[in-house]
């Protein structure tokens, strides 16, 4: 534990701005003396006490509630004091200043400060101390931030399940089975002269197969949880006037983007967070794609096209929008051919610039005004009308399926990309162990090492083997008072 983890800390624990209630929180060892100084009297543990909170000159700052939680029965595992007052920013700053002042005020009787060294907390430091003091594990700590940041009800419920320990329980079950398997291998290594073959007698192969099957289920739910947490970036791409802005408005259920029949109306990206079945989607409307060398393309539109390609290249999924009304133009057959050629050029560029695993959905728009014969000719993708809403529900479901959303919401716990990578590493190590175990003459020392590496990777999910720099990165993303 670093030296700074022994310092008493204080912070405003509620969000910036005005509100009905605001909270100032302190945590550290031996808070009782400073509690009496700030509150004017000792407090009964875990009972809310209504009292005036006075400044150093005895003048009231506010009337509020004070709660004292002696260690170890507190959020951080240390002594914790919470002052609940009116939620004005000035009031809370005065309360925080009073706490810092009271901690350093020399007591005449003892000649010492009640809580010397009290300092402002760093982001996430209260939760970091809860983790370091074994009140929660790392996966639960991350779930606290995920619960605060949840953008949909499904994400919030999944984060709450992780916070309650459901994800951690799954990991610990895997760990127990993995440790038992390691024990069998180590026993065979330590006692090679014994007649008993520990691995065969204990069905090590069967145990390893069962372990990998259970891991596959946990990985699936973790991948679903990562989708819930991170959301999906969906970029709408296509030629000018294909209806990209209309589709964004239809998916969002609001008039967010300007829609006109003038080509090149959208010059910069328009992003909106929406949800489909509780899954957050960051939908990006982009400038229409066309050859920047065309004489009618101005400098501003060229910049918009370049930005559109940058958004497309970083997308989790692309909706490639086609205009059905321009697939067949009896009054000008060459126009339809030019439109189809331009679509083909965009498709080639998408194939060239996107990672092979980025899904592309062909979306055929304006089915409400296109000739019926043209609509029936569509063989791939989804036919929609952004104007009437026809086909949008099918588009939503296809989009979720393509990006990997399959689980029932109540079976998902919140997870992060870090967790998914760790579980994938475990799966890789167990796959190597399985190959070793199936060999005619297994190299038991290599098998033991594969299992050890798998255990370390799995333990990293809950924080048993986690470097300090990773902890710093994780907790630095929390809010100050948490």
């Amino acid at each position: 534990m670093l030296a700074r983890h022994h310092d008493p800390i204080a912070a405003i624990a509620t969000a910036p701005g005005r509100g009905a209630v605001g909270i100032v929180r302190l945590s550290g060892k031996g808070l009782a003396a400073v509690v009496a100084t700030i509150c004017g009297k000792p407090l009964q543990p875990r009972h809310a006490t209504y009292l005036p909170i006075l400044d150093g000159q005895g003048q009231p700052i506010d009337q509020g509630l004070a709660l004292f939680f002696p260690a170890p029965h507190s959020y951080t595992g240390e002594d914790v004091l919470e002052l609940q007052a009116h939620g004005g920013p000035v009031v809370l700053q005065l309360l925080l200043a009073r706490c810092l002042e009271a901690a350093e005020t020399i007591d005449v009787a003892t000649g010492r400060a009640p809580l010397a060294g009290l300092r402002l907390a760093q982001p996430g430091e209260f939760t970091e101390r809860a983790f370091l003091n074994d009140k929660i594990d790392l996966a639960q700590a991350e779930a606290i931030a995920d619960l605060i940041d949840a953008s949909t009800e499904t994400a919030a419920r999944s984060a709450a399940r992780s916070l309650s320990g459901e994800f951690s329980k799954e990991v610990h079950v895997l760990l127990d089975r993995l440790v038992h398997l390691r024990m069998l291998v180590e026993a065979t290594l330590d006692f090679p002269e014994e007649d008993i073959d520990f691995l065969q007698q204990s069905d090590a192969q069967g145990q390893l197969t069962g372990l990998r099957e259970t891991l596959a289920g946990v990985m699936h739910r973790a991948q679903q949880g990562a989708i819930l947490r991170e959301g999906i970036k969906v970029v709408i791409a296509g030629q000018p006037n294909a209806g990209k802005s209309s589709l964004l408005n239809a998916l969002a259920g609001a008039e967010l983007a300007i829609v006109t029949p003038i080509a090149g109306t959208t010059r910069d990206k328009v992003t909106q967070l929406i949800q489909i079945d509780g899954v957050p989607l960051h939908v990006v409307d982009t400038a229409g794609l066309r050859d920047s060398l065309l004489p009618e393309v101005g400098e501003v539109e060229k910049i918009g096209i370049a930005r559109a390609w940058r958004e497309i290249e970083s997308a989790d999924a692309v909706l490639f929008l086609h205009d059905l009304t321009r697939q067949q133009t009896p009054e000008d057959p060459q126009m339809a051919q030019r439109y189809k050629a331009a679509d083909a050029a965009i498709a080639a560029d998408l194939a060239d610039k996107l990672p092979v695993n980025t899904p592309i959905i062909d979306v055929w728009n304006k089915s409400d005004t296109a000739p019926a014969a043209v609509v029936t000719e569509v063989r791939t993708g989804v036919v929609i009308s952004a104007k009437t809403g026809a086909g949008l529900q099918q588009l939503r479901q296809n989009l979720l399926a393509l990006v990997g959303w399959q689980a029932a919401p109540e079976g998902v716990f919140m997870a992060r990309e870090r967790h998914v990578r760790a579980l994938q590493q475990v799966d890789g190590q167990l796959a190597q162990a399985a190959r070793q175990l199936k060999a005619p003459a297994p190299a038991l020392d290599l098998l033991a090492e594969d299992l050890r590496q798998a255990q370390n990777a799995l333990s990293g999910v809950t924080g048993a083997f986690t470097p300090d720099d990773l902890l710093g990165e994780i907790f630095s993303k929390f809010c100050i008072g948490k």
Side-chain angles (χ1 to χ4, degrees):
M1 187 178 292
L2 300 177
R4 67 178 181 85
H5 294 141
H6 298 286
D7 297 338
I9 54 175
I12 297 172
T14 42
R18 290 180 293 178
V21 177
I23 298 174
V24 172
R25 176 180 292 159
L26 286 74
S27 179
K29 296 179 180 179
L31 283 190
V34 79
V35 167
T37 301
I38 295 171
C39 300
K41 61 180 180 180
L43 298 179
Q44 186 177 356
R46 290 173 293 282
H47 282 70
T49 303
Y50 181 70
L51 45 71
I53 305 173
L54 308 178
D55 63 18
Q57 288 70 46
Q59 299 300 312
I61 299 173
D62 197 3
Q63 298 272 345
L65 294 177
L67 295 97
F68 179 50
F69 303 90
H73 305 297
S74 70
Y75 177 70
T76 64
E78 303 172 332
D79 290 347
V80 170
L81 172 67
E82 285 194 358
L83 301 175
Q84 301 182 8
H86 293 96
V90 174
V91 172
L92 296 178
Q93 289 292 345
L94 288 172
L95 287 179
L96 180 59
R98 172 56 181 151
C99 292
L100 296 171
E101 175 192 41
E104 297 291 346
T105 301
I106 302 298
D107 184 282
V108 177
T110 64
R112 294 180 297 177
L115 199 65
L118 179 66
R119 60 170 173 81
L120 295 177
Q122 297 180 6
E125 195 166 0
F126 289 94
T127 303
E128 184 180 19
R129 292 190 177 198
F131 164 69
L132 293 172
N133 292 324
D134 295 324
K135 303 297 289 186
I136 53 177
D137 64 33
L138 190 56
Q140 290 175 295
E142 290 168 307
I144 293 170
D146 294 338
L147 182 59
I148 294 170
D149 293 336
S151 57
T152 69
E153 179 182 348
T154 304
R157 291 184 181 278
S158 297
R161 280 191 287 275
S162 288
L163 178 56
S164 69
E166 287 192 25
F167 184 26
S168 301
K169 289 175 186 174
E170 301 253 12
V171 171
H172 286 302
V173 168
L174 287 170
L175 274 172
D176 289 343
R177 293 172 64 179
L178 183 52
V179 168
H180 183 261
L181 188 56
R182 277 193 69 192
M183 177 193 70
L184 297 176
V185 176
E186 297 288 350
T188 306
L189 278 170
D190 290 343
F191 304 102
E193 70 282 357
E194 294 289 339
D195 293 332
I196 299 175
D197 187 335
F198 289 96
L199 299 184
Q200 285 188 353
Q201 293 252 340
S202 303
D203 187 22
Q205 182 67 61
Q207 289 190 42
L208 182 55
T209 300
L211 182 60
R212 295 187 67 192
E213 290 174 352
T214 304
L215 175 64
V218 176
M219 283 179 62
H220 175 74
R221 291 193 293 281
Q223 287 165 343
Q224 304 304 290
I227 291 174
L228 273 182
R229 179 184 183 273
E230 304 293 342
I232 304 163
K233 181 179 179 180
V234 179
V235 176
I236 307 173
Q239 294 189 58
N241 278 353
K244 298 183 297 299
S245 298
S246 297
L247 178 55
L248 171 65
N249 293 342
L251 290 172
E255 296 296 322
L256 302 173
I258 299 172
V259 178
T260 77
I262 302 171
T265 297
T266 301
R267 301 297 183 91
D268 203 355
K269 68 175 183 178
V270 179
T271 303
Q272 177 65 21
L273 176 64
I274 66 172
Q275 61 168 301
I276 300 176
D277 294 346
V279 179
L281 271 71
H282 306 275
V283 183
V284 184
D285 175 26
T286 58
L289 302 176
R290 55 178 171 174
D291 189 347
S292 297
L293 297 179
L294 292 172
E296 63 266 28
V297 178
E299 288 300 317
V300 175
E301 189 178 351
K302 288 180 181 179
I303 295 171
I305 292 171
R307 290 183 177 180
W309 278 113
R310 285 199 294 271
E311 293 296 324
I312 291 168
E313 290 168 7
S314 64
D316 295 313
V318 175
L319 301 182
F320 183 11
L321 205 61
H322 309 272
D323 186 344
L324 284 169
T325 64
R326 286 190 271 180
Q327 300 297 311
Q328 187 182 95
T329 53
E331 69 284 358
D332 188 355
Q334 290 184 347
M335 180 183 295
Q337 293 302 318
R338 288 195 298 270
Y339 183 80
K340 292 178 180 179
D343 260 4
I346 293 173
D349 285 339
L350 289 172
D352 181 56
K353 295 181 179 182
L354 288 177
V356 292
N357 59 344
T358 301
I360 301 173
I361 303 178
D362 287 296
V363 182
W364 303 87
N365 190 26
K366 305 185 184 180
S367 62
D368 56 314
T369 55
V374 173
V375 175
T376 57
E377 288 178 358
V378 175
R379 295 290 180 266
T380 61
V382 183
V383 176
I384 70 161
S385 168
K387 182 177 180 180
T388 67
L392 287 182
Q393 185 58 27
Q394 182 185 348
L395 175 60
R396 293 185 181 103
Q397 297 307 314
N398 287 9
L399 185 57
L400 290 183
L402 278 175
V403 297
W405 179 255
Q406 301 167 355
E410 292 305 316
V412 174
F413 38 69
M414 188 65 77
R416 298 186 171 201
E417 188 61 30
R418 180 184 78 82
H419 305 145
V420 175
R421 289 198 302 270
L423 293 174
Q424 289 171 341
Q425 182 181 349
V426 175
D427 186 52
Q429 295 293 156
L430 293 184
Q432 289 183 197
R435 288 191 291 271
Q436 287 288 350
L437 202 53
K438 288 179 181 178
L444 295 184
D445 53 343
L446 296 179
L447 175 60
E449 179 61 16
D450 286 332
L451 296 178
R452 187 187 71 82
Q453 293 282 2
Q455 182 183 346
N456 286 349
L458 193 55
S459 297
V461 173
T462 54
F465 294 99
T466 307
D468 287 338
D469 55 349
L470 178 59
L471 292 180
E473 180 183 346
I474 289 172
F475 288 108
S476 66
K477 293 180 172 62
F478 281 59
C479 52
I480 293 291
K482 199 64 181 174

